[in-house]
Amino acid sequence: MSARSSLLHVKAAASLSVPELLTSRTMSDNERTFIAIKPDGVQRGLIGDVIKRFEQKGFKLVGMKLLQASQELLNKHYADLSSRPFFPSLIAYMSSGPVVAMVWEGKGAVKTGRVMLGATDPAESAPGTIRGDFCIQVGKNVIHGSDSVESATQEISLWFTEDELVTYKSCAFDWLYN
Ligand code: IDP
Ligand code: MG
């Protein structure tokens, strides 16, 4: 780290509150992604398996709720797919039962989360990924994950209010990051 960037870090740290310093909220390890276990994943008893994978990877859970998603929420969530022929069946699928909405935090959480999910079509998803291990068809592919940092920000604000997200330091933090 150069003297200048080191000085900038000191200046940035000086402007933080103690909780912010404790949780390193200025560092890149605070990237957040929106993950949702879809109705088939909930009904098939896969909530624990999905959470376990994100936990054991080292990501930190900062928000979670079980909810029946409204059509309005789902129309907004999948707005970019509204012209696709499968859109009506996608909305019907996503509103066919409760979903588990989660926010996971950690360095590279968006990109790594997508790798952990596997390809959209389970027929193409590698073994070892969630879709590769737990499902068969694209119309019942168990899980959603944000595809970019920008869409993660937008999806998190769509599904969660700020006070539903928790800022804390994981006891594993110092064993996960240099
Ligand atoms: P992603 O979930 O991997 O980001 P997207 O292309 O954003 O994939 O599609 C959103 C969701 O729409 C998929 O996860 C899947 O549930 C559904 N979907 C995508 N393509 C098809 C299709 O060809 N037929 C039926 N459903 C589809
Ligand atoms: Mg997508």
Side-chain angles (χ1 to χ4, degrees), residues 80-144:
D80 60 327
L81 298 174
S82 60
S83 62
R84 304 294 289 273
F86 59 82
F87 185 74
S89 65
L90 172 60
I91 300 301
Y93 160 47
M94 289 298 292
S95 56
S96 63
V99 300
V100 175
M102 298 178 284
V103 179
W104 287 90
E105 184 179 292
K107 188 171 174 59
V110 171
K111 189 173 174 205
T112 301
R114 289 287 291 191
V115 175
M116 290 167 64
L117 261 60
T120 302
D121 184 348
E124 309 293 329
S125 311
T129 65
I130 293 166
R131 287 165 172 165
D133 288 351
F134 293 127
C135 52
I136 295 171
Q137 286 197 307
V138 71
K140 294 278 190 312
N141 63 354
V142 167
I143 189 164
H144 167 84

Side-chain angles (χ1 to χ4, degrees), residues 45-57:
L46 300 176
I47 297 170
D49 290 285
V50 170
I51 290 175
K52 182 166 182 56
R53 289 182 180 219
F54 280 84
E55 276 188 321
Q56 71 186 9
K57 176 66 180 169

Side-chain angles (χ1 to χ4, degrees), residues 4 10 12 28 53 58 62 71 91 130 140 143 153 159 178:
R4 183 175 150 69
V10 171
S28 59
R53 289 182 180 219
V62 296
Q71 303 266 331
I91 300 301
I130 293 166
K140 294 278 190 312
I143 189 164
T153 304
W159 288 78
N178 295 320

